[in-house]
Amino acid sequence: MGPPGGGKGTQAARLAEALAIPTISTGAMLREAVAAQTPVGLDAKAYMDRGDYVPDEVMCQLVLNRIAEDDCVNGFILDGFPRTAEQAEALAGHGVVIDKVLYIDVPDEVIVGRIGGRRVCAKCGGTYHTKYTPPKIAGQCDECDGELIVRADDTPDTIRNRLEVYHKLTAPVLAYYNGVIVSADGNAPVEQITDVLLKALGKA
Ligand code: AMP
């Protein structure tokens, strides 16, 4: 968990590789649905473009279905879910046990400064930052050679709304996980944050 633009996607991908378990990134799933123009995607797009949350019923169904797939039997990393009290309750209500909540702490002013450099692969959804996690070749994904683009919701106006929504709806959700929360300073170098998180999981 952590604010938008705080490095959740980057860390989730690194942890998934180190732990050999899948990452369930709700933002990436929605962006795929938007690109494929599925009913969920067509519905979600307007919320995402504004920086608002997609309704809980849609999100809970998406995640619970995904968790039920075979590759999740040995565990999974949730990136961007739960983001509301209802979503946290849906997980608990379906008996999904969360071992640790990894919280990446980044102040709003740092987020606003970082957002301009964020890039996402149009093909595989991989995330980059021109300064902090640059691709090997500018504008091209290291994994699949896809084109790196700026997310439609990474504009200064949208990020301000996303931060506002985060503080109002998501920050209070941390209280649900008292006792299993591990915090990392999101201003630290990417590798260092991964180490802190892996240690917290007893894997480093
Ligand atoms: P992210 O890539 O995690 O920043 O997510 C991008 C956008 O997808 C968010 O700003 C929301 O509009 C939507 N979204 C992703 N995850 C959720 C969620 N758990 N609940 C509601 N909306 C979500």
Side-chain angles (χ1 to χ4, degrees):
M1 293 183 74
K8 295 189 297 294
T10 299
Q11 293 300 332
R14 293 172 62 86
L15 293 179
E17 199 179 338
L19 302 172
I21 54 174
T23 288
I24 301 174
S25 163
T26 46
M29 287 168 85
L30 289 172
R31 281 187 289 280
E32 267 169 42
V34 170
Q37 301 194 327
T38 66
V40 166
L42 292 173
D43 205 40
K45 188 175 183 324
Y47 294 99
M48 294 170 78
D49 285 349
R50 284 195 303 268
D52 287 336
Y53 285 170
V54 174
D56 286 325
E57 313 83 79
V58 178
M59 297 312 301
C60 292
Q61 182 126 36
L62 202 67
V63 169
L64 291 169
N65 286 343
R66 178 67 187 86
I67 287 174
E69 287 178 31
D70 290 348
D71 62 338
C72 292
V73 290
N74 293 323
F76 47 85
I77 296 166
L78 291 170
D79 161 24
F81 189 97
R83 262 177 155 108
T84 64
E86 287 76 6
Q87 293 176 14
E89 277 161 16
L91 285 178
H94 284 79
V96 180
V97 177
I98 303 293
D99 297 315
K100 284 269 188 277
V101 170
L102 308 175
Y103 171 61
I104 305 178
D105 188 12
V106 189
D108 286 9
E109 51 292 2
V110 175
I111 300 285
V112 173
R114 275 190 196 175
I115 209 82
R118 296 223 300 171
R119 299 290 183 273
V120 60
C121 174
K123 217 157 117 192
C124 76
T127 52
Y128 297 85
H129 192 284
T130 50
K131 187 165 163 202
Y132 305 109
T133 50
K136 293 191 185 101
I137 299 169
Q140 187 174 307
C141 179
D142 292 348
E143 302 299 325
C144 75
D145 296 346
E147 185 192 358
L148 300 186
I149 57 170
V150 176
R151 274 170 49 168
D153 59 348
D154 272 352
T155 63
D157 274 353
T158 312
I159 194 65
R160 267 185 279 276
N161 186 44
R162 286 162 66 199
L163 283 167
E164 211 169 289
V165 172
Y166 168 78
H167 288 297
K168 195 165 135 214
L169 297 179
T170 304
V173 177
L174 283 169
Y176 277 70
Y177 299 106
N178 264 338
V180 289
I181 297 179
V182 175
S183 294
D185 173 7
N187 280 323
V190 170
E191 298 78 12
Q192 206 171 306
I193 299 174
T194 309
D195 281 349
V196 170
L197 301 181
L198 281 173
K199 273 201 188 90
L201 294 167
K203 303 285 180 184

